[in-house]
């Protein structure tokens, strides 16, 4: 599976890379898009680190070309009948790292890094209202918004958000705090659990306990590590950005370039 994903990612990045190397290739790519009767394709902006869908708009040939060459998410406004680059008014640009096309060639994804909130409401994404569930927008008027900003979170980021909520919880007298709260209030215990779970993950290989056991132990490592990150004020998004910036760099060279620990 990994080689296939790698090949797909390389193909997606190839369109942006080709802009500097061969304008003719970019024009050929634009020729191959299936525009609607108004000359537009769907353009979706996605956070390259969190996976969050930031917004959806439309783009004409010029807007797509601008996105590829300037590496800023650019769209076509149907109401104003004009091209616009996200952030040109607010300053919250989306720096595009790669562009991806769907199998029908009528929609694109701009994978990028947002400089700030994407939605005009000030929310991180335009998709901040959940529809389903007992408190969703389909069940309750004005529902679906949690803590002022509900996002369509993937599993890892939903876990991060849950840990953040646990930190803010106030334990009533006579009640036991949640395990997460206990860990946050006892850094020594937390660090011991991170080391313990990492050791058990290694044991799953050393004792050949199987894939299911390895996945379970890795889940424990991730959970306890996320709690430790929360304690230090580090977002998962920041970790993903570090990993992304290491792509294409030799692991040996990257490690050698790190500042020495004091």
């Amino acid at each position: 599976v990994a080689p296939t994903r790698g090949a797909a990612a390389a193909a997606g990045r190839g369109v942006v890379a080709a802009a500097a190397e061969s304008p003719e290739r970019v024009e050929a790519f634009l020729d191959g898009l299936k525009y609607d009767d108004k000359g537009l394709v769907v353009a979706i902006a996605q956070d390259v680190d969190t996976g969050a869908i930031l917004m959806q708009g439309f783009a004409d040939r010029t807007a797509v070309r601008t996105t590829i060459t300037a590496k800023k998410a650019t769209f076509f406004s149907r109401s104003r009948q004009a091209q616009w680059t996200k952030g040109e008014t607010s300053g919250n640009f989306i720096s595009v790292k790669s562009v991806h096309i769907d199998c029908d060639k009528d929609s694109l994804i701009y994978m990028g890094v947002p400089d700030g909130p994407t939605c005009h409401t000030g929310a991180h994404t335009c998709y901040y209202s959940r529809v389903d569930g007992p408190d969703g927008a389909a069940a309750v008027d004005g529902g679906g918004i949690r803590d002022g900003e509900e996002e369509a979170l993937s599993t890892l980021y939903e876990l991060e958000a849950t840990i953040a909520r646990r930190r803010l919880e106030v334990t009533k007298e006579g009640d036991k705090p949640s395990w997460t709260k206990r860990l946050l209030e006892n850094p020594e215990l937390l660090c011991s659990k991170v080391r313990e779970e990492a050791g058990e993950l290694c044991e799953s290989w050393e004792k050949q306990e199987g894939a299911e056991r390895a996945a379970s132990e890795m889940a424990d490592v991730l959970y306890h590590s996320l709690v430790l990150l929360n304690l230090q004020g580090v977002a998962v998004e920041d970790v993903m950005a570090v990993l992304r910036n290491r792509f294409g760099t030799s692991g040996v060279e990257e490690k050698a370039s790190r500042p020495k620990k004091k």
Side-chain angles (χ1 to χ4, degrees):
V1 176
T4 302
R5 287 177 61 91
R13 291 190 295 271
V15 177
V16 175
E21 299 169 5
S22 174
E24 293 79 11
R25 286 181 58 191
V26 174
E27 294 306 315
F29 166 76
L30 296 173
D31 288 339
L33 291 178
K34 292 183 180 178
Y35 304 94
D36 65 13
D37 58 357
K38 296 180 176 62
L40 304 174
V41 294
V42 173
I44 299 166
Q46 183 173 4
D47 191 312
V48 70
D49 292 320
T50 70
I53 303 300
L54 300 173
M55 62 168 288
Q56 182 250 300
F58 295 87
D60 62 0
R61 183 187 183 102
T62 303
V64 177
R65 183 192 296 112
T66 301
T67 298
I68 294 172
T69 55
K71 299 183 180 179
K72 298 289 185 183
T74 304
F75 305 87
F76 182 84
S77 171
R78 294 176 297 172
S79 59
R80 290 182 283 128
Q81 287 294 294
Q83 176 180 301
W84 66 282
T85 296
K86 172 60 185 171
E88 60 188 14
T89 301
S90 66
N92 297 325
F93 294 95
I94 300 175
S95 298
V96 175
K97 301 301 179 182
S98 61
V99 177
H100 302 259
I101 187 172
D102 80 324
C103 57
D104 292 326
K105 297 185 178 182
D106 58 4
S107 68
L108 300 168
I109 294 179
Y110 300 158
M111 298 290 289
V113 179
D115 289 340
T118 297
C119 186
H120 71 282
T121 63
H124 177 58
T125 89
C126 293
Y127 297 90
Y128 57 83
S129 296
R130 181 167 179 166
V131 175
D132 61 315
D135 299 320
V140 181
D141 289 341
I145 301 177
R146 178 185 60 200
D147 298 333
E149 185 177 319
E150 171 70 71
E151 289 186 28
L153 299 174
S154 59
T155 302
L156 189 64
Y157 290 91
E158 180 67 35
L159 176 58
E160 180 185 41
T162 300
I163 292 170
R165 290 195 298 274
R166 293 287 185 271
R167 183 171 188 168
L168 297 175
E169 285 180 350
V170 177
T171 305
K172 296 180 181 178
E173 186 175 351
D175 291 346
K176 291 183 178 180
S178 66
W179 176 243
T180 300
K181 188 75 170 180
R182 282 184 59 194
L183 292 172
L184 288 167
E185 293 177 344
N186 189 338
E188 185 176 345
L189 172 62
L190 174 55
C191 288
S192 71
K193 290 301 296 183
V194 172
R195 295 187 181 98
E196 175 188 331
E197 300 301 348
E200 291 179 358
L201 175 61
C202 292
E203 286 182 5
S204 70
W205 163 255
E206 294 164 347
K207 296 180 179 180
Q208 293 296 292
E209 295 174 326
E212 185 175 345
R213 182 67 175 179
S216 176
E217 296 299 346
M218 186 62 201
D220 289 340
V221 172
L222 280 173
Y223 161 70
H224 287 91
S225 296
L226 286 179
V227 177
L228 185 55
L229 287 179
N230 177 280
L231 184 65
Q232 298 181 87
V234 179
V236 176
E237 180 180 357
D238 297 332
V239 177
M240 296 301 174
V242 171
L243 289 173
R244 171 169 48 79
N245 290 331
R246 290 179 182 175
F247 290 160
T249 303
S250 162
V252 175
E253 293 176 0
E254 186 280 324
K255 190 170 184 179
S257 68
R258 297 182 193 176
K260 292 185 178 181
K261 295 181 179 180
K262 296 181 180 179

